[in-house]
Amino acid sequence: YIVLLSSVEPLKVYAYNRFWLRFANIPFSLDKLDLYEKHFTVMNYTDTDLKQMFCHDFIQMFESQNPGYPWSQVEADIFKMLRGVFDGATAQLGGGRVRGTRSLFLKCWSLTGCQIVRESCVFIIL
């Protein structure tokens, strides 16, 4: 997801609801750590196959394979998790709780990409 932090106090975080799915070319396991196609998903910078899927195709496939578990519910959980990450990261910054940071952080904004890895039924943010 692409996430925009537009304010620390009050905390305002926005996530674009379109995402880019990328897949490792070889199934993950904790061996052969030097095998690039097994441990990374960014294949567009090397001479390998790039496996990707449009998010609307993924959502359709996800919902057909998981009846009764709509993507909108999963995405709401992801957005809640992202909000929690920013809540935790900025908890001590606003309100002058960290000496000298109030004016600095009230003027900050950030646009960043968040990589979310799905391992079984657990989402991990990187």
Side-chain angles (χ1 to χ4, degrees):
Y1 285 92
I2 302 296
V3 178
L4 170 67
L5 170 67
S6 66
S7 173
V8 171
E9 192 177 284
L11 182 60
K12 292 182 184 175
V13 180
Y14 303 91
Y16 185 45
N17 65 352
R18 295 290 177 245
F19 47 90
W20 186 25
L21 289 127
R22 298 180 299 194
F23 304 91
N25 291 340
I26 299 171
F28 176 79
S29 66
L30 289 174
D31 62 347
K32 299 183 182 176
L33 298 176
D34 59 337
L35 190 54
Y36 182 84
E37 291 185 73
K38 186 175 201 168
H39 298 282
F40 294 96
T41 61
V42 180
M43 302 297 167
N44 50 326
Y45 300 118
T46 60
D47 190 24
T48 59
D49 287 334
L50 173 62
K51 294 183 182 179
Q52 61 183 353
M53 178 185 292
F54 290 112
C55 62
H56 57 273
D57 294 332
F58 170 79
I59 292 169
Q60 218 171 28
M61 188 179 297
F62 178 89
E63 289 183 337
S64 71
Q65 294 176 5
N66 299 280
Y69 194 46
W71 178 254
S72 59
Q73 182 180 345
V74 174
E75 189 169 61
D77 289 343
I78 291 171
F79 289 162
K80 184 178 177 182
M81 176 193 61
L82 288 171
R83 174 62 191 230
V85 168
F86 282 89
D87 279 336
T90 61
Q92 297 299 312
L93 300 178
R97 288 182 288 273
V98 174
R99 187 178 179 148
T101 61
R102 181 177 170 77
S103 62
L104 173 67
F105 286 102
L106 291 180
K107 297 175 186 172
C108 286
W109 65 271
S110 175
L111 182 65
T112 188
C114 293
Q115 292 190 28
I116 299 173
V117 177
R118 182 184 169 273
E119 180 66 33
S120 191
C121 291
V122 177
F123 290 92
I124 304 163
I125 188 166
L126 301 176

